Amino acid sequence: MSKQTIYYTLTDEAPALATSSLLPIFGTFAKEADIELELTDISLASRIISAFSDTLPADKQAADGLKFLGELTASPEANIVKLPNISASLPQLYAAIKELNEQGYGLPEYPENPTTEAEKDAQARYAKILGSAVNPVLRQGNSDRRAPAAVKGFARKNPHSMGKWKKTSTSHADYMRGGDFFSSEQSITMEKDQTVRIEFVGQDGSVEVKKTLPLIAGEVLDSMNMSSKSLRAFFEQTLQDAKDNDIMWSLHVKATMMKVSHPIVFGHAVTVFYKDVFEKYGELFKEIGVNPNNGLGSVYDKIKTLPEAQQEEIKQAIQDVYTSRPELAMVDSDKGITNLHVPSDVIVDASMPAMIRNSGKMWGRDGKAHDAKAVMPESTYARIYQEVINFCKTNGAFDPVTMGTVPNVGLMAQKAEEYGSHDKTFELPANGTMRVVDEQGNVLMQHDVEQGDIWRACQTKDAPIRDWVKLGVTRARQSNTPAVFWLEEERAHDAQLRIKVEKYLQEHDLNGLDIHIMPYNEAIRFSMERIVRGQDTISVTGNVLRDYLTDLFPIMELGTSAKMLSIVPMLNGGGMYETGAGGSAPKHVQQLMEENHLRWDSLGEFLAVAVSFEELGIKHNNEKAKVLANCLDKATGKLLDTNKSPSRKTGEIDNRGSHFYLAMYWAQELAAQSDNAELAAKFAPLAKALTENEATIVAELAEVQGKAANLTGYYHMNLDEVAKIMRPSATFNQALASL
Amino acid sequence: MSKQTIYYTLTDEAPALATSSLLPIFGTFAKEADIELELTDISLASRIISAFSDTLPADKQAADGLKFLGELTASPEANIVKLPNISASLPQLYAAIKELNEQGYGLPEYPENPTTEAEKDAQARYAKILGSAVNPVLRQGNSDRRAPAAVKGFARKNPHSMGKWKKTSTSHADYMRGGDFFSSEQSITMEKDQTVRIEFVGQDGSVEVKKTLPLIAGEVLDSMNMSSKSLRAFFEQTLQDAKDNDIMWSLHVKATMMKVSHPIVFGHAVTVFYKDVFEKYGELFKEIGVNPNNGLGSVYDKIKTLPEAQQEEIKQAIQDVYTSRPELAMVDSDKGITNLHVPSDVIVDASMPAMIRNSGKMWGRDGKAHDAKAVMPESTYARIYQEVINFCKTNGAFDPVTMGTVPNVGLMAQKAEEYGSHDKTFELPANGTMRVVDEQGNVLMQHDVEQGDIWRACQTKDAPIRDWVKLGVTRARQSNTPAVFWLEEERAHDAQLRIKVEKYLQEHDLNGLDIHIMPYNEAIRFSMERIVRGQDTISVTGNVLRDYLTDLFPIMELGTSAKMLSIVPMLNGGGMYETGAGGSAPKHVQQLMEENHLRWDSLGEFLAVAVSFEELGIKHNNEKAKVLANCLDKATGKLLDTNKSPSRKTGEIDNRGSHFYLAMYWAQELAAQSDNAELAAKFAPLAKALTENEATIVAELAEVQGKAANLTGYYHMNLDEVAKIMRPSATFNQALASL
């Protein structure tokens, strides 16, 4: 039997720290089944370094881990465990570059307005790193996400807190009723392979080709436009409405994943909210390089170059705004960080479920939770949150003890429906027409646009759609659960998809299955009506809803999306096992640095690695891998039942302690099982050693807490130093090493 | 051609007053087509008098008009124009008896707790008069209600005011989540004709037969129980919630139509709200005959017999309650009349649409509109209002200019689904079991009950259901409109009905029709989603929803349900044409008495009589009747367009003025038409006379306004005196008489 490999990703922040403790455990256990765990660095820092490696000295270069894994996805042997990573916003990129340069990398700054060739080159390299740059490369399959039975069972027995909902809650979602992407969407399906051009036609008739796109037969191409005038009017109107009705105003966008379109949307919110400031200091801000798309933080950052008196004047002008505007939701009320400070702080898919779980409230300036107007300009998806809010007002909060589950089958293979993230989104410099033209010069789609509008196109290939339909049907069959295809009748794109879905459904035996096609509002309502009755419903959705719903429902059901099992069955036969969600990881790192306590829960990694082992076991007939998988699942269940997950509180069990318990339970399960005597014999001494030394190890792990820990970096840590911090128990390390 | 007859009903309050002016006009025009309009008295007063006529002197006796019309419905010749009448609550009955006795009738008082045979006899006679006593007798067919095209068009051109909805509105519907009729409902379909017994089994095993019911094959029999403990706990909990959240508390029940069950529900609300008062004075109240089911008004009424000091003490105790309870919605804030004063003041089907139209607000003590908790204990129907409220919060108020229409086809023939009104509802005197037993002694349905619970049964015969399905399909076909059968999957009754609906639908050609079956929440949401897009949807519903929806949608669409065309195609071939709605009629009478201005709009009568003429025209090949109908519709349209409907303001055109204009336009149309030369010639002089004397007649009609008018009675008016008041224009009367 040849050696099999699991490619385990090194990412960022808390998950990367946890890896330092956890990977040695996985590696130790795996080698007994002839499985190797290979660490592949795809952290933001490593992606930056490798992008510039041709310009760096040899000792500073780094391999392109992401490229390597991307190529691997084409192989049926691909078995990747993918941890959450940073989808970098501009401020995060700035910070990472700064840190690397402090470490002596000498990287160029990110040029916002490149003029020289060198600057253009640098910007192009950085552009590939920004936002959701990792997932589209690796996700060469559709998505299968669900709450594992053990996790769901645990949540039912140990329900997380859920804020009660009042019938008198004034919280609501607010979204545009026109002028947004939803209302302007156009969509076509290609009849044959051909290359189309995206063109801007100026009012003088001049034609500028913005992009050429090679498309293949069956591919769905969408285009849509967000009117900046309508967007700004919408923001102003919601601010007035919030002020008039004395309700907090809270912006929820997706500036990370939708890295081109949503920072612009965010920037409009900043300049409308702080209208008085930007009207007065607009010219000055331009000169000193303020970019509102980076949030109000950009103002505070850039004015540091100004004389102190002027700085104070501007700060006062900002404070003055708060008297005329409604209260603004806070990210950190102690530090005065609002929702508009940094675009990456409030990410709709995580922030809206948090709000819903928190009785529909956001945090105010006074540090208390208040009802809020959740402003989500794009109406396509915002409406589902209003539906949830109405449901909670009517029926009260969801109850984790009794509620059913909503697993997701999501369309995402081959960069399907990557809206607004990438190279087909344009902020328009002038009035004119955006159009898509085919090789014969026929105009396939077009929009009249105005200066400042955001126009974007989006591709979805046919093969992924067909595979997605198959995956939806397969999951419905395997789990004996109704499945709903979320397709909005009134959306141009979904109308195209519906034709394909109805066609491809016919390729499967649907006998005895309960398959529906519903618009979003109806689908979420249907799912909620079932969930409160304890019934399960598979959501079969496009890419964005996949992203949103696999936070929304898990956060209600399990208290976190990090506990979901997330599988990407690759189109070419391999598999990727994604873990957790990075939403709150920055806070975790901060706590570690200040108090040497890491509250990150590696449950997602436990679940993913078990499925990863299982897959190798099936594919290579590796019986030991199957036993490892089975015992790992049992150990995870025991860890949940005995409450050995990390506590949020310094001094109590943290990420490292939970890893120890996982190892102990896993070794115990392996020693106790009778499926494979060799493994039982092998792990018996380890089980004994860990069991006997439990008190010592726990004490060693607890001892280090409470003091500051020096990480040597935030984005680019020294892994040896991290290992010292993350593996402080000599007893535990020695027991592992002795296997 | 034999003489044809339209039976025109004399009812109560404003519609009865209007009849005094309008019927002479209809009669004058009709006789030219050999049609006679016969006035049949079914007023509350006449029903009381006729019920006791065997005990009255000859000059005080009255024929039983209702019985006569009831028998007439079996004839294919039945052609009845039915105006709104009083569904008497107990306080209304008391008042009517008092008035009749003041007029010398010497009727027995209504005995609440009859002991003697005479009292029992009196109570039995009065019981038949209470509540919805008229409609079940006359409605020997299902219901077809819609907004006539002219009326809908007028509303679109002249939209009524609609209160804006705030997204931050705190208004909501609150209803029981268990222990109510919905959650306890059981239902069976009879396989054969047989008589069943409704029995109460005491805890000692004793069996009391409460009722025997002869049932026929295919008949659906339901039973359900409202737990008084749950109901009272629910009221208390909603009061606490309203108090805690500083929102007004507003009760909405159906104490008139559901004349047995809902006054009891109302009474519980009164004794829970004024708990402190009823705990302190409960025994005293019993002695002096306070009946909380008649509202707080009963307290104020009955304590009049007590010493003044004690009265003041009790009044003070009532005032004290308001400090510990949430604010209570007012019916008349000037006079301090709350929602709990009289059970007939706030009728859910009219009050909820009014609240929704008024931005979701009810009237407070300060005379201003406030957000409110609308308390509707029974969850079966209350949920649709919460759905509407959520929809308005999300999408804003409905817009009469653009909204579609929701006509209704309602199941009601042969007393179908007469819930809670009648002889199968019981307030239980002790703990035990209520059960339905067949002839063989098999228990068909049973409920464990507690003292004070409200148990009720309900019958729905098969033939009306079959006819209802047919009427639904027919209307869908005739109007080329999607139709939705509102059937709630989770209701036992609806599950039985659904089987029949699916079966009977197969009897029709459904080709090209868009027929749905949906639970209530989904059906109303579907209808609202369509209505805001300008699309129409027929609601095909049971009896209660018929009643509720034919107020709800018309009030949104037209500003009133009085403008609906309401047809009852009788099972035996006749037709009844119902007009208007009596919801605000008492206020109209008050205004007439104080200022001699009657704001009642007879539009419903104009529409009904036109259809009534048309039906005679078709049935008897009476061409003149068809011309009369056609010209009447045109006159009605012209009256709407020229804004000759009654104004609410004294001094402006009132009911009488609008009748004059109808007559003038009608005569003009008849004179101008060329379908029937005889009629044209006949009406030309009248058209001329009315046209020439328009200013004189209008002046004569205006002149009388502003002074008090003596009606000589409220329930039992002297018709000659009324005619003097309602026909004050000598010029107009003379012109009519000269035809």
Side-chain angles (χ1 to χ4, degrees), chain A residues 30-307:
Chain A
K31 72 170 189 285
E32 303 306 325
D34 282 320
I35 293 170
E36 191 179 26
L37 275 98
E38 190 170 315
L39 189 65
T40 310
D41 192 349
I42 58 168
S43 66
L44 175 60
S46 101
R47 285 184 284 130
I48 294 173
I49 295 168
S50 74
F52 288 93
S53 274
D54 58 331
T55 71
L56 297 176
D59 68 321
K60 298 277 190 220
Q61 294 175 9
D64 190 340
L66 182 59
K67 190 179 169 207
F68 169 76
L69 290 182
E71 287 164 2
L72 181 66
T73 60
S75 159
E77 297 302 313
N79 185 314
I80 302 169
V81 174
K82 157 73 175 59
L83 278 69
N85 68 292
I86 291 178
S87 288
S89 63
L90 262 185
Q92 287 172 307
L93 182 68
Y94 290 144
I97 296 170
K98 185 159 171 276
E99 181 178 316
L100 288 168
N101 285 342
E102 283 165 4
Q103 292 174 4
Y105 278 84
L107 297 163
E109 293 300 316
Y110 176 83
E112 287 202 48
N113 301 298
T115 48
T116 67
E117 281 311 304
E119 282 173 352
K120 283 180 186 163
D121 173 65
Q123 201 200 38
R125 292 183 194 225
Y126 284 128
K128 288 183 189 154
I129 294 161
L130 276 170
S132 184
V134 170
N135 288 335
V137 175
L138 298 185
R139 288 177 174 168
Q140 296 305 324
N142 291 306
S143 158
D144 165 15
R145 290 199 184 181
R146 43 197 143 110
V151 170
K152 185 76 182 163
F154 176 79
R156 285 195 163 134
K157 278 180 286 180
N158 304 275
H160 49 279
S161 68
M162 290 286 278
K164 285 191 176 165
W165 271 80
K166 290 186 169 184
K167 293 185 194 302
T168 51
S169 167
T170 57
S171 291
H172 60 274
D174 211 345
Y175 42 88
M176 295 171 75
R177 308 288 169 147
D180 63 341
F181 292 129
F182 177 79
S183 49
S184 66
E185 192 173 87
Q186 300 179 24
S187 184
I188 50 168
T189 300
M190 304 311 295
E191 286 179 9
K192 54 176 183 182
D193 295 7
Q194 70 167 324
T195 298
V196 303
R197 303 188 303 275
I198 296 174
E199 297 177 342
F200 174 73
V201 186
Q203 290 186 310
D204 59 358
S206 62
V207 176
E208 179 195 352
V209 177
K210 309 281 277 186
K211 183 96 191 163
T212 54
L213 294 177
L215 301 172
I216 58 178
E219 187 159 6
V220 177
L221 183 69
D222 314 326
S223 64
M224 61 206 85
N225 186 55
M226 167 81 86
S227 155
S228 60
K229 261 189 206 159
S230 302
L231 176 64
R232 294 182 67 84
F234 165 74
F235 281 136
E236 185 61 45
Q237 173 235 310
T238 60
L239 287 165
Q240 288 304 332
D241 186 59
K243 183 80 182 167
D244 292 347
N245 292 293
D246 196 22
I247 186 168
M248 201 155 66
W249 193 90
S250 180
L251 182 68
H252 301 257
V253 292
K254 182 82 181 170
T256 48
M257 182 195 191
M258 298 192 178
K259 69 181 176 185
V260 179
S261 59
H262 274 206
I264 302 170
V265 169
F266 183 84
H268 282 297
V270 171
T271 55
V272 172
F273 190 95
Y274 298 100
K275 192 172 54 180
D276 294 348
V277 175
F278 280 84
E279 272 172 10
K280 190 165 176 191
Y281 300 103
E283 285 306 310
L284 174 64
F285 284 176
K286 253 182 213 162
E287 283 166 30
I288 59 174
V290 166
N291 183 353
N293 297 2
N294 294 344
L296 188 68
S298 173
V299 175
Y300 282 112
D301 188 35
K302 299 291 184 182
I303 62 172
K304 284 179 187 156
T305 59
L306 299 173

Side-chain angles (χ1 to χ4, degrees), chain A residues 25 125 176 392 511:
Chain A
I25 299 169
R125 292 183 194 225
M176 295 171 75
C392 289
N511 199 21

